[in-house]
Short mmCIF file of all heavy atoms in Angstrom, two decimals:
data_model
loop_
_atom_site.label_atom_id
_atom_site.label_comp_id
_atom_site.label_asym_id
_atom_site.label_seq_id
_atom_site.Cartn_x
_atom_site.Cartn_y
_atom_site.Cartn_z
N MET A 2 -15.59 -3.24 -5.25
CA MET A 2 -14.53 -3.94 -5.83
C MET A 2 -14.29 -5.28 -5.20
O MET A 2 -14.27 -5.34 -3.86
CB MET A 2 -13.23 -3.03 -5.71
CG MET A 2 -12.07 -3.80 -6.12
SD MET A 2 -10.55 -2.71 -6.03
CE MET A 2 -10.50 -2.13 -4.41
N LYS A 3 -14.21 -6.36 -5.86
CA LYS A 3 -13.90 -7.64 -5.28
C LYS A 3 -12.50 -8.00 -5.71
O LYS A 3 -12.19 -7.80 -6.87
CB LYS A 3 -14.86 -8.67 -5.74
CG LYS A 3 -16.25 -8.46 -5.15
CD LYS A 3 -17.19 -9.63 -5.56
CE LYS A 3 -18.58 -9.40 -4.93
NZ LYS A 3 -19.44 -10.49 -5.25
N LEU A 4 -11.75 -8.65 -4.78
CA LEU A 4 -10.38 -9.12 -5.09
C LEU A 4 -10.28 -10.48 -4.43
O LEU A 4 -10.89 -10.89 -3.54
CB LEU A 4 -9.30 -8.17 -4.35
CG LEU A 4 -9.18 -6.88 -4.84
CD1 LEU A 4 -8.30 -6.12 -3.99
CD2 LEU A 4 -8.73 -6.75 -6.22
N SER A 5 -9.38 -11.34 -5.01
CA SER A 5 -9.06 -12.62 -4.56
C SER A 5 -8.08 -12.61 -3.41
O SER A 5 -8.08 -13.52 -2.69
CB SER A 5 -8.51 -13.53 -5.67
OG SER A 5 -7.25 -13.06 -6.11
N ALA A 6 -7.46 -11.54 -3.22
CA ALA A 6 -6.38 -11.35 -2.08
C ALA A 6 -7.13 -11.38 -0.84
O ALA A 6 -8.25 -10.69 -0.72
CB ALA A 6 -5.62 -10.21 -2.33
N ARG A 7 -6.70 -12.08 0.20
CA ARG A 7 -7.34 -12.25 1.46
C ARG A 7 -6.75 -11.26 2.43
O ARG A 7 -7.34 -10.88 3.54
CB ARG A 7 -7.20 -13.51 2.15
CG ARG A 7 -8.01 -14.46 1.21
CD ARG A 7 -9.46 -14.36 1.33
NE ARG A 7 -10.09 -15.37 0.56
CZ ARG A 7 -11.07 -15.10 -0.41
NH1 ARG A 7 -11.38 -13.94 -0.73
NH2 ARG A 7 -11.65 -16.04 -1.10
N ASN A 8 -5.53 -10.74 2.28
CA ASN A 8 -4.86 -9.90 3.25
C ASN A 8 -4.95 -8.44 2.94
O ASN A 8 -4.34 -7.78 2.09
CB ASN A 8 -3.31 -10.30 3.26
CG ASN A 8 -3.15 -11.66 3.55
OD1 ASN A 8 -3.67 -12.19 4.68
ND2 ASN A 8 -2.40 -12.46 2.76
N MET A 9 -6.10 -7.88 3.37
CA MET A 9 -6.31 -6.42 3.08
C MET A 9 -6.25 -5.70 4.45
O MET A 9 -7.05 -6.00 5.43
CB MET A 9 -7.73 -6.24 2.52
CG MET A 9 -7.87 -6.85 1.15
SD MET A 9 -9.55 -6.87 0.43
CE MET A 9 -9.58 -5.10 0.04
N LEU A 10 -5.33 -4.77 4.51
CA LEU A 10 -5.08 -3.97 5.65
C LEU A 10 -5.38 -2.58 5.61
O LEU A 10 -4.90 -1.82 4.86
CB LEU A 10 -3.57 -4.07 6.07
CG LEU A 10 -2.93 -5.49 5.96
CD1 LEU A 10 -1.42 -5.43 6.19
CD2 LEU A 10 -3.52 -6.33 7.17
N PRO A 11 -6.60 -2.21 6.30
CA PRO A 11 -7.06 -0.72 6.27
C PRO A 11 -6.10 0.21 6.88
O PRO A 11 -5.45 -0.12 7.90
CB PRO A 11 -8.42 -0.74 6.90
CG PRO A 11 -8.27 -1.88 7.86
CD PRO A 11 -7.32 -2.90 7.21
N GLY A 12 -5.88 1.29 6.34
CA GLY A 12 -5.05 2.37 7.02
C GLY A 12 -5.23 3.68 6.18
O GLY A 12 -6.12 3.93 5.50
N LYS A 13 -4.26 4.56 6.64
CA LYS A 13 -4.25 5.99 5.97
C LYS A 13 -2.87 6.27 5.43
O LYS A 13 -1.85 5.91 5.95
CB LYS A 13 -4.51 7.00 6.95
CG LYS A 13 -5.99 6.93 7.53
CD LYS A 13 -6.24 8.34 8.28
CE LYS A 13 -7.68 8.14 8.93
NZ LYS A 13 -8.70 8.71 8.02
N VAL A 14 -2.96 7.01 4.28
CA VAL A 14 -1.63 7.36 3.60
C VAL A 14 -1.00 8.39 4.49
O VAL A 14 -1.55 9.32 4.82
CB VAL A 14 -1.90 7.88 2.20
CG1 VAL A 14 -0.63 8.27 1.62
CG2 VAL A 14 -2.66 6.80 1.38
N VAL A 15 0.29 8.19 4.83
CA VAL A 15 1.08 9.17 5.60
C VAL A 15 2.22 9.76 4.83
O VAL A 15 2.74 10.77 5.20
CB VAL A 15 1.58 8.55 6.99
CG1 VAL A 15 0.36 8.20 7.89
CG2 VAL A 15 2.40 7.39 6.75
N ALA A 16 2.60 9.15 3.72
CA ALA A 16 3.61 9.76 2.81
C ALA A 16 3.38 9.18 1.44
O ALA A 16 3.20 8.03 1.21
CB ALA A 16 4.94 9.51 3.45
N VAL A 17 3.76 10.03 0.46
CA VAL A 17 3.88 9.68 -0.93
C VAL A 17 5.03 10.27 -1.57
O VAL A 17 5.22 11.56 -1.45
CB VAL A 17 2.61 10.22 -1.76
CG1 VAL A 17 2.83 9.75 -3.23
CG2 VAL A 17 1.31 9.59 -1.21
N THR A 18 6.14 9.47 -1.96
CA THR A 18 7.41 10.00 -2.45
C THR A 18 7.50 9.41 -3.81
O THR A 18 7.67 8.23 -4.04
CB THR A 18 8.48 9.48 -1.55
OG1 THR A 18 8.22 9.89 -0.23
CG2 THR A 18 9.83 10.19 -1.96
N LYS A 19 7.43 10.35 -4.84
CA LYS A 19 7.61 9.92 -6.26
C LYS A 19 9.12 9.96 -6.60
O LYS A 19 9.88 10.86 -6.15
CB LYS A 19 6.78 10.91 -7.13
CG LYS A 19 5.33 10.61 -7.19
CD LYS A 19 4.68 11.54 -8.24
CE LYS A 19 3.25 11.17 -8.38
NZ LYS A 19 2.65 11.93 -9.43
N GLY A 20 9.49 8.99 -7.32
CA GLY A 20 10.81 8.88 -7.92
C GLY A 20 10.73 9.10 -9.43
O GLY A 20 9.74 9.66 -9.92
N ALA A 21 11.72 8.62 -10.29
CA ALA A 21 11.63 8.81 -11.68
C ALA A 21 10.52 8.12 -12.39
O ALA A 21 9.76 8.62 -13.16
CB ALA A 21 13.03 8.33 -12.23
N THR A 22 10.25 6.88 -11.91
CA THR A 22 9.10 6.06 -12.47
C THR A 22 8.31 5.44 -11.41
O THR A 22 7.09 5.04 -11.64
CB THR A 22 9.66 4.89 -13.38
OG1 THR A 22 10.48 4.15 -12.64
CG2 THR A 22 10.32 5.50 -14.62
N THR A 23 8.84 5.31 -10.20
CA THR A 23 8.16 4.45 -9.11
C THR A 23 7.90 5.36 -7.86
O THR A 23 8.83 6.20 -7.57
CB THR A 23 9.16 3.27 -8.61
OG1 THR A 23 9.28 2.50 -9.84
CG2 THR A 23 8.30 2.45 -7.55
N ALA A 24 6.91 5.22 -7.16
CA ALA A 24 6.59 5.94 -6.03
C ALA A 24 6.52 5.06 -4.81
O ALA A 24 6.15 3.88 -4.97
CB ALA A 24 5.25 6.56 -6.18
N HIS A 25 6.87 5.57 -3.66
CA HIS A 25 6.78 4.80 -2.46
C HIS A 25 5.67 5.51 -1.64
O HIS A 25 5.58 6.63 -1.41
CB HIS A 25 8.14 4.89 -1.63
CG HIS A 25 9.14 4.24 -2.25
ND1 HIS A 25 10.45 4.53 -2.24
CD2 HIS A 25 9.13 3.03 -2.96
CE1 HIS A 25 11.14 3.81 -2.76
NE2 HIS A 25 10.50 2.79 -3.31
N VAL A 26 4.69 4.65 -1.26
CA VAL A 26 3.45 5.05 -0.54
C VAL A 26 3.56 4.40 0.85
O VAL A 26 3.52 3.19 1.01
CB VAL A 26 2.14 4.73 -1.30
CG1 VAL A 26 1.00 5.15 -0.45
CG2 VAL A 26 2.13 5.33 -2.58
N LYS A 27 3.56 5.28 1.92
CA LYS A 27 3.60 4.72 3.29
C LYS A 27 2.18 4.82 3.86
O LYS A 27 1.52 5.94 3.92
CB LYS A 27 4.62 5.63 4.03
CG LYS A 27 4.97 5.09 5.42
CD LYS A 27 5.98 5.84 6.14
CE LYS A 27 6.43 5.32 7.45
NZ LYS A 27 7.56 6.19 7.99
N VAL A 28 1.78 3.65 4.32
CA VAL A 28 0.31 3.58 4.82
C VAL A 28 0.53 3.21 6.42
O VAL A 28 1.19 2.22 6.80
CB VAL A 28 -0.35 2.45 4.14
CG1 VAL A 28 -1.79 2.28 4.87
CG2 VAL A 28 -0.50 2.89 2.62
N GLU A 29 -0.22 3.95 7.23
CA GLU A 29 -0.30 3.65 8.58
C GLU A 29 -1.44 2.78 8.90
O GLU A 29 -2.57 3.31 8.58
CB GLU A 29 -0.17 4.94 9.36
CG GLU A 29 -0.20 4.69 10.96
CD GLU A 29 -0.06 5.92 11.77
OE1 GLU A 29 -1.08 6.75 11.69
OE2 GLU A 29 0.76 6.18 12.45
N LEU A 30 -1.20 1.70 9.62
CA LEU A 30 -2.32 0.78 9.84
C LEU A 30 -2.89 1.16 11.08
O LEU A 30 -2.39 1.98 11.93
CB LEU A 30 -1.76 -0.68 9.96
CG LEU A 30 -1.01 -1.16 8.67
CD1 LEU A 30 -0.45 -2.56 8.96
CD2 LEU A 30 -1.95 -1.04 7.43
N ALA A 31 -4.15 0.63 11.40
CA ALA A 31 -4.83 0.98 12.62
C ALA A 31 -3.99 0.71 13.86
O ALA A 31 -4.16 1.34 14.94
CB ALA A 31 -6.21 0.19 12.73
N SER A 32 -3.19 -0.32 13.84
CA SER A 32 -2.33 -0.72 14.99
C SER A 32 -1.16 0.22 15.32
O SER A 32 -0.45 0.08 16.23
CB SER A 32 -1.83 -2.23 14.84
OG SER A 32 -1.02 -2.10 13.69
N GLY A 33 -0.91 1.21 14.39
CA GLY A 33 0.10 2.11 14.42
C GLY A 33 1.35 1.72 13.71
O GLY A 33 2.32 2.43 13.55
N LEU A 34 1.36 0.42 13.14
CA LEU A 34 2.39 0.08 12.34
C LEU A 34 2.28 0.54 10.92
O LEU A 34 1.15 1.08 10.59
CB LEU A 34 2.33 -1.51 12.16
CG LEU A 34 2.48 -2.35 13.46
CD1 LEU A 34 2.20 -3.84 13.27
CD2 LEU A 34 3.81 -2.07 14.12
N THR A 35 3.31 0.52 10.11
CA THR A 35 3.31 1.06 8.84
C THR A 35 3.68 0.01 7.75
O THR A 35 4.44 -0.86 7.96
CB THR A 35 4.15 2.34 8.56
OG1 THR A 35 5.45 1.94 8.93
CG2 THR A 35 3.82 3.49 9.44
N VAL A 36 3.15 0.21 6.54
CA VAL A 36 3.36 -0.65 5.32
C VAL A 36 3.88 0.25 4.31
O VAL A 36 3.31 1.30 4.11
CB VAL A 36 2.23 -1.47 4.91
CG1 VAL A 36 2.41 -2.12 3.65
CG2 VAL A 36 1.78 -2.40 6.00
N LEU A 37 5.01 -0.10 3.65
CA LEU A 37 5.47 0.74 2.40
C LEU A 37 5.24 -0.03 1.26
O LEU A 37 5.66 -1.17 1.06
CB LEU A 37 6.98 0.97 2.74
CG LEU A 37 7.64 1.98 1.65
CD1 LEU A 37 7.04 3.30 1.85
CD2 LEU A 37 9.10 1.96 1.91
N SER A 38 4.62 0.61 0.24
CA SER A 38 4.28 -0.01 -0.93
C SER A 38 5.10 0.60 -2.17
O SER A 38 5.15 1.91 -2.18
CB SER A 38 2.87 0.08 -1.24
OG SER A 38 2.51 -0.40 -2.56
N SER A 39 5.65 0.05 -3.07
CA SER A 39 6.19 0.59 -4.27
C SER A 39 5.30 0.45 -5.43
O SER A 39 4.98 -0.76 -5.85
CB SER A 39 7.55 -0.05 -4.57
OG SER A 39 8.44 0.12 -3.59
N ILE A 40 4.74 1.60 -5.91
CA ILE A 40 3.88 1.39 -7.10
C ILE A 40 4.26 2.39 -8.20
O ILE A 40 5.13 3.35 -7.86
CB ILE A 40 2.43 1.72 -6.69
CG1 ILE A 40 2.20 3.08 -6.02
CG2 ILE A 40 1.93 0.65 -5.66
CD1 ILE A 40 0.81 3.44 -5.70
N THR A 41 3.71 2.46 -9.26
CA THR A 41 4.15 3.29 -10.31
C THR A 41 3.56 4.80 -10.02
O THR A 41 2.63 4.91 -9.40
CB THR A 41 3.54 2.97 -11.75
OG1 THR A 41 2.23 2.96 -11.72
CG2 THR A 41 4.09 1.50 -12.12
N ASN A 42 4.30 5.80 -10.55
CA ASN A 42 3.80 7.12 -10.45
C ASN A 42 2.46 7.28 -11.16
O ASN A 42 1.63 7.94 -10.68
CB ASN A 42 4.72 8.13 -11.12
CG ASN A 42 6.00 8.27 -10.40
OD1 ASN A 42 6.04 8.04 -9.06
ND2 ASN A 42 7.14 8.64 -11.12
N GLU A 43 2.19 6.51 -12.17
CA GLU A 43 0.94 6.52 -12.89
C GLU A 43 -0.21 6.02 -12.00
O GLU A 43 -1.23 6.70 -11.94
CB GLU A 43 1.02 5.64 -14.19
CG GLU A 43 -0.21 5.73 -15.12
CD GLU A 43 -0.08 4.90 -16.30
OE1 GLU A 43 0.89 4.21 -16.44
OE2 GLU A 43 -1.12 4.95 -17.01
N ALA A 44 0.15 4.97 -11.26
CA ALA A 44 -0.91 4.47 -10.33
C ALA A 44 -1.20 5.49 -9.25
O ALA A 44 -2.39 5.70 -8.92
CB ALA A 44 -0.41 3.13 -9.76
N VAL A 45 -0.24 6.23 -8.65
CA VAL A 45 -0.42 7.34 -7.72
C VAL A 45 -1.41 8.36 -8.31
O VAL A 45 -2.30 8.80 -7.69
CB VAL A 45 0.85 7.86 -7.28
CG1 VAL A 45 0.55 9.10 -6.44
CG2 VAL A 45 1.63 6.91 -6.44
N ASP A 46 -1.08 8.74 -9.60
CA ASP A 46 -1.95 9.71 -10.26
C ASP A 46 -3.37 9.28 -10.52
O ASP A 46 -4.37 9.87 -10.20
CB ASP A 46 -1.34 10.15 -11.56
CG ASP A 46 0.07 10.90 -11.31
OD1 ASP A 46 0.34 11.40 -10.21
OD2 ASP A 46 0.84 10.95 -12.15
N ASP A 47 -3.51 8.03 -10.96
CA ASP A 47 -4.78 7.38 -11.29
C ASP A 47 -5.71 7.34 -10.03
O ASP A 47 -6.88 7.51 -10.21
CB ASP A 47 -4.73 6.06 -11.98
CG ASP A 47 -4.10 6.09 -13.30
OD1 ASP A 47 -4.15 7.21 -13.95
OD2 ASP A 47 -3.74 5.03 -13.84
N LEU A 48 -5.02 6.96 -8.97
CA LEU A 48 -5.86 6.90 -7.70
C LEU A 48 -5.83 8.13 -6.89
O LEU A 48 -6.63 8.26 -5.94
CB LEU A 48 -5.06 5.83 -6.67
CG LEU A 48 -5.02 4.40 -7.14
CD1 LEU A 48 -4.06 3.55 -6.34
CD2 LEU A 48 -6.40 3.91 -7.14
N ALA A 49 -5.18 9.20 -7.46
CA ALA A 49 -5.23 10.54 -6.80
C ALA A 49 -4.76 10.44 -5.38
O ALA A 49 -5.51 11.17 -4.54
CB ALA A 49 -6.58 11.18 -7.09
N LEU A 50 -3.75 9.75 -5.04
CA LEU A 50 -3.31 9.36 -3.75
C LEU A 50 -2.75 10.61 -3.13
O LEU A 50 -1.97 11.30 -3.69
CB LEU A 50 -2.42 8.24 -3.68
CG LEU A 50 -2.84 6.82 -3.82
CD1 LEU A 50 -1.71 5.92 -3.84
CD2 LEU A 50 -3.94 6.50 -2.86
N LYS A 51 -3.17 10.90 -1.85
CA LYS A 51 -2.65 12.01 -1.13
C LYS A 51 -2.57 11.68 0.30
O LYS A 51 -3.28 10.84 0.85
CB LYS A 51 -3.38 13.40 -1.37
CG LYS A 51 -4.84 13.32 -0.91
CD LYS A 51 -5.47 14.57 -1.46
CE LYS A 51 -6.95 14.59 -1.02
NZ LYS A 51 -7.74 13.40 -1.45
N ILE A 52 -1.74 12.39 1.12
CA ILE A 52 -1.72 12.17 2.60
C ILE A 52 -3.08 12.33 3.24
O ILE A 52 -3.84 13.33 2.86
CB ILE A 52 -0.65 13.18 3.20
CG1 ILE A 52 0.79 12.83 2.63
CG2 ILE A 52 -0.63 13.17 4.69
CD1 ILE A 52 1.89 13.77 2.99
N GLY A 53 -3.42 11.46 4.12
CA GLY A 53 -4.66 11.45 4.77
C GLY A 53 -5.72 10.59 4.09
O GLY A 53 -6.83 10.31 4.75
N ASP A 54 -5.49 10.14 2.92
CA ASP A 54 -6.58 9.15 2.20
C ASP A 54 -6.68 7.98 2.95
O ASP A 54 -5.62 7.42 3.43
CB ASP A 54 -6.09 8.94 0.78
CG ASP A 54 -6.31 10.11 -0.16
OD1 ASP A 54 -6.98 11.02 0.20
OD2 ASP A 54 -5.84 10.01 -1.37
N SER A 55 -7.89 7.40 3.05
CA SER A 55 -8.10 6.16 3.72
C SER A 55 -8.00 5.16 2.52
O SER A 55 -8.52 5.34 1.42
CB SER A 55 -9.49 6.03 4.15
OG SER A 55 -9.70 6.76 5.37
N VAL A 56 -7.19 4.11 2.64
CA VAL A 56 -6.79 3.08 1.69
C VAL A 56 -6.76 1.76 2.35
O VAL A 56 -6.81 1.62 3.58
CB VAL A 56 -5.44 3.39 0.95
CG1 VAL A 56 -5.44 4.72 0.21
CG2 VAL A 56 -4.30 3.41 2.00
N SER A 57 -6.57 0.71 1.56
CA SER A 57 -6.33 -0.66 1.89
C SER A 57 -5.03 -1.10 1.35
O SER A 57 -4.87 -0.99 0.04
CB SER A 57 -7.38 -1.64 1.60
OG SER A 57 -8.59 -1.36 2.39
N ALA A 58 -4.12 -1.60 2.14
CA ALA A 58 -2.91 -2.27 1.59
C ALA A 58 -3.34 -3.74 1.33
O ALA A 58 -3.68 -4.41 2.20
CB ALA A 58 -1.83 -2.11 2.57
N VAL A 59 -3.32 -4.11 0.08
CA VAL A 59 -3.66 -5.47 -0.30
C VAL A 59 -2.40 -6.27 -0.60
O VAL A 59 -1.49 -5.86 -1.48
CB VAL A 59 -4.55 -5.46 -1.61
CG1 VAL A 59 -4.98 -6.73 -2.03
CG2 VAL A 59 -5.76 -4.47 -1.42
N ILE A 60 -2.28 -7.39 0.11
CA ILE A 60 -1.10 -8.23 -0.05
C ILE A 60 -1.45 -9.51 -0.70
O ILE A 60 -2.38 -10.30 -0.13
CB ILE A 60 -0.35 -8.39 1.40
CG1 ILE A 60 -0.03 -7.01 1.99
CG2 ILE A 60 0.90 -9.31 1.28
CD1 ILE A 60 0.34 -7.06 3.36
N LYS A 61 -0.85 -9.80 -1.81
CA LYS A 61 -1.09 -11.10 -2.43
C LYS A 61 0.30 -11.67 -2.79
O LYS A 61 1.09 -11.08 -3.58
CB LYS A 61 -1.91 -10.80 -3.77
CG LYS A 61 -2.03 -12.04 -4.69
CD LYS A 61 -3.25 -12.81 -4.15
CE LYS A 61 -3.52 -13.93 -5.11
NZ LYS A 61 -4.66 -14.78 -4.70
N SER A 62 0.52 -12.84 -2.18
CA SER A 62 1.88 -13.50 -2.43
C SER A 62 1.69 -14.82 -2.27
O SER A 62 1.09 -15.37 -1.40
CB SER A 62 2.79 -12.92 -1.26
OG SER A 62 4.08 -13.54 -1.38
N SER A 63 2.52 -15.56 -3.06
CA SER A 63 2.59 -17.04 -2.92
C SER A 63 3.48 -17.48 -1.89
O SER A 63 3.36 -18.65 -1.41
CB SER A 63 3.00 -17.68 -4.32
OG SER A 63 4.19 -17.23 -4.70
N ASP A 64 4.34 -16.62 -1.42
CA ASP A 64 5.36 -17.00 -0.33
C ASP A 64 5.34 -15.89 0.64
O ASP A 64 5.56 -14.80 0.38
CB ASP A 64 6.78 -17.16 -0.89
CG ASP A 64 6.76 -18.40 -1.89
OD1 ASP A 64 6.39 -19.43 -1.50
OD2 ASP A 64 7.31 -18.10 -2.97
N VAL A 65 5.25 -16.33 1.92
CA VAL A 65 5.54 -15.37 3.07
C VAL A 65 6.48 -16.16 3.93
O VAL A 65 6.19 -17.25 4.43
CB VAL A 65 4.15 -15.10 3.84
CG1 VAL A 65 4.45 -14.22 5.00
CG2 VAL A 65 3.11 -14.40 2.84
N MET A 66 7.53 -15.48 4.11
CA MET A 66 8.66 -16.14 4.99
C MET A 66 8.64 -15.39 6.29
O MET A 66 8.51 -14.32 6.55
CB MET A 66 9.95 -15.88 4.22
CG MET A 66 10.07 -16.49 2.90
SD MET A 66 11.78 -16.19 2.31
CE MET A 66 11.50 -16.79 0.71
N ILE A 67 9.06 -16.27 7.37
CA ILE A 67 9.14 -15.83 8.71
C ILE A 67 10.56 -16.16 9.12
O ILE A 67 11.04 -17.27 8.83
CB ILE A 67 8.18 -16.62 9.70
CG1 ILE A 67 6.71 -16.37 9.27
CG2 ILE A 67 8.25 -16.10 11.07
CD1 ILE A 67 6.13 -14.92 9.30
N ALA A 68 11.28 -15.21 9.66
CA ALA A 68 12.65 -15.50 10.12
C ALA A 68 12.76 -15.20 11.67
O ALA A 68 11.94 -14.27 12.17
CB ALA A 68 13.56 -14.62 9.38
N LYS A 69 13.54 -15.94 12.33
CA LYS A 69 13.75 -15.59 13.78
C LYS A 69 15.27 -15.64 14.15
O LYS A 69 15.95 -16.41 13.65
CB LYS A 69 13.05 -16.61 14.63
CG LYS A 69 13.05 -16.32 16.05
CD LYS A 69 12.33 -17.36 16.87
CE LYS A 69 12.45 -17.03 18.39
NZ LYS A 69 11.69 -17.99 19.20
#
């Protein structure tokens, strides 16, 4: 699979919480940090996501803000 996004963070799924239409998928990165993604329940099912799966968190954004 090829993507135009440059920010691909490899990790493992540590939690999948489905809501009415949207699921939250928590991914633990190699550094021990976590990323939380909101995706559709349909996407969770299509990808057959489960705890322990190796995945990549792909970040594509036109704006990234830094605050201090």
Side-chain angles (χ1 to χ4, degrees):
M2 171 178 58
K3 291 185 178 183
L4 295 174
S5 62
R7 298 289 181 235
N8 300 306
M9 297 179 67
L10 308 172
K13 288 194 186 268
V14 175
V15 294
V17 178
T18 307
K19 284 187 173 183
T22 59
T23 304
H25 293 143
V26 180
K27 190 174 187 179
V28 177
E29 184 177 62
L30 307 177
S32 62
L34 299 174
T35 58
V36 171
L37 186 65
S38 176
S39 295
I40 62 175
T41 64
N42 288 336
E43 184 179 3
V45 170
D46 295 339
D47 287 347
L48 293 169
L50 289 178
K51 61 187 180 306
I52 293 173
D54 282 350
S55 292
V56 297
S57 290
V59 181
I60 300 167
K61 177 80 174 182
S62 176
S63 58
D64 296 307
V65 177
M66 296 180 192
I67 304 293
K69 181 175 179 184

